[in-house]
Amino acid sequence: MRVLIVEDDRPLARAMAIMLRAGGDEGAVASTGREALDALGGAEWDVVILDLGLPDMDGVHVLRALRGWSSVPVVVLSARHEADQKVRALDSGADDYVTKPFNVDELRARLRVVTRRAEGPVERRVVSTPGFTVDLARRIVIRDGAEVGVTPTEWRLLELLARNPDATVDRETLLDGLRGRSVPHQSHYIRVYMQQLRSKLEPVPSQPRFLVTVPGRGYRLDTGSTGSAPGDS
Ligand code: CA
């Protein structure tokens, strides 16, 4: 198992990493929310241990951003006085929680349970529109039977939308998902990358049918299954 440990208490993080390695698993540590989002966007993980009290942002924020593109199992760590946060974390898509101070055997058991549960039905791997197909497993986009060349940042943006087809993905989630890719934290850049994607994938890029702007909120990948109206790019 590849486990990402998101914890700013370094001795505790180190102890968890040692515990995992002793059991034959791999444990990497991120000690801030930002480091966590970078690590989560840059590699595949089997499970995430997420402390809720991080120095730069609320762990729940990390979780919400992560759920914009990934269903990787997450076990949150919370202190006893953080009961409200724990509820918010579960509402935001955490799979389980462990209250500090905890016993390593208990943590290990919970990790096993959530990863076993995640081995159930796999998430949708291919998302098709009448104009193009996004293959999430092979990480390619196909139009008219041929692979379309997209940059890593364009792919990331497309992937974030394709993991939630026909649903609005808000700008904050997209920006968080692009972190660690040298993309300045400004909505303006999302619009630029979206225009590039439209020029490669839309029949009429100025009147997008599939990569749709949702005014004031973000963007949506319309699969065309419900009939789509042009966005207002
Ligand atoms: Ca902490």
Side-chain angles (χ1 to χ4, degrees):
M1 275 200 312
R2 297 198 66 207
V3 186
L4 181 66
I5 302 161
V6 185
E7 172 58 78
D8 59 312
D9 177 338
R10 287 174 192 271
L12 176 60
R14 209 174 305 132
M16 285 191 279
I18 290 168
M19 179 260 312
L20 288 165
R21 278 171 214 148
D25 297 312
E26 256 181 79
V29 176
S31 40
T32 64
R34 193 183 170 117
E35 268 180 45
L37 287 170
D38 288 351
L40 289 163
E44 295 284 325
W45 303 91
D46 296 307
V47 62
V48 178
I49 300 171
L50 176 64
D51 178 36
L52 292 181
L54 296 170
D56 57 337
M57 66 179 83
D58 190 332
V60 173
H61 181 83
V62 174
L63 181 60
R64 288 202 183 122
L66 173 66
R67 283 292 176 252
W69 78 86
S70 170
S71 56
V72 62
V74 174
V75 174
V76 297
L77 300 180
S78 68
R80 228 169 258 294
H81 61 273
E82 293 171 329
D84 288 356
Q85 265 195 324
K86 192 167 72 188
V87 172
R88 279 200 299 138
L90 291 169
D91 283 346
S92 304
D95 296 89
D96 202 353
Y97 65 89
V98 172
T99 304
K100 291 180 184 177
F102 55 86
N103 168 306
V104 290
D105 291 329
E106 181 194 354
L107 176 62
R108 187 186 267 301
R110 299 213 181 216
L111 293 177
R112 264 200 305 271
V113 170
V114 296
T115 50
R116 208 181 297 138
R117 217 186 280 152
E119 281 165 11
V122 283
E123 57 189 315
R124 196 167 165 190
R125 292 291 187 179
V126 174
V127 177
S128 293
T129 74
F132 55 89
T133 296
V134 184
D135 188 329
L136 292 166
R138 291 162 68 206
R139 304 182 71 79
I140 55 171
V141 54
I142 297 156
R143 183 183 182 188
D144 299 330
E147 185 179 342
V148 179
V150 292
T151 67
T153 303
E154 290 164 5
W155 169 259
R156 188 84 190 109
L157 194 54
L158 186 60
E159 183 183 27
L160 291 165
L161 295 170
R163 289 208 183 270
N164 298 278
D166 298 312
T168 300
V169 182
D170 64 46
R171 274 192 224 101
E172 275 304 305
T173 301
L174 294 173
L175 284 166
D176 284 336
L178 292 177
R179 275 187 184 178
R181 285 175 193 268
S182 314
V183 178
H185 197 78
Q186 291 174 24
S187 304
H188 166 69
Y189 290 89
I190 299 267
R191 202 180 312 138
V192 172
Y193 289 115
M194 192 60 67
Q195 275 162 6
Q196 289 172 195
L197 274 176
R198 283 170 176 158
S199 71
K200 293 178 178 182
L201 300 175
E202 288 282 354
V204 185
S206 60
Q207 296 179 331
R209 285 178 57 196
F210 311 116
L211 297 164
V212 177
T213 302
V214 183
R217 294 187 55 199
Y219 295 91
R220 185 178 70 229
L221 175 64
D222 269 358
T223 59
S225 51
T226 53
S228 51
D232 70 335
S233 74

